[in-house]
Amino acid sequence: DPHNSIAHEVAFQKRICMTKELCNNTDLNVIPRKHICHQLGISRNTIKRWIKDRGFPTPLKASGQEPLFDSEAVNLWFEKME
């Protein structure tokens, strides 16, 4: 159903905007992977795939069990994808 896919795309775009807002409001200029996953409604594997196949920013070195991403780099990536 084309209407369903359009609604899905609009909802996803809205979540991207909220994620960008979250990136902009962070004091440390980092965003945890779990926040990205939660905001976008995606899995950790999706982020891994995006890193491998779509040039999504890699997590910061030594960020441990919960990878941290540079929020500016994440914002720039989303802007390039628009």
Side-chain angles (χ1 to χ4, degrees):
D1 177 14
H3 292 298
N4 198 15
S5 65
I6 290 170
H8 178 76
E9 180 63 26
V10 167
F12 190 69
Q13 290 299 326
K14 201 179 221 177
R15 290 195 299 264
I16 287 173
C17 288
M18 290 187 322
T19 301
K20 286 161 93 173
E21 222 168 85
L22 183 65
C23 285
N24 287 335
N25 290 333
T26 181
D27 291 333
L28 298 172
N29 292 329
V30 295
I31 183 168
R33 178 180 62 196
K34 67 181 171 194
H35 285 211
I36 298 171
C37 290
H38 178 74
Q39 279 295 141
L40 296 176
I42 59 173
S43 70
R44 296 180 339 187
N45 285 337
T46 298
I47 289 195
K48 288 178 188 173
R49 247 192 340 270
W50 285 0
I51 290 169
K52 185 173 168 261
D53 301 332
R54 294 187 178 186
F56 192 82
T58 54
L60 301 170
K61 296 272 185 259
S63 58
Q65 286 293 312
E66 181 53 51
L68 299 172
F69 291 82
D70 178 320
S71 58
E72 256 181 65
V74 171
N75 258 345
L76 287 172
W77 185 83
F78 280 120
E79 285 171 17
K80 282 197 310 197
M81 298 308 282
E82 287 176 351

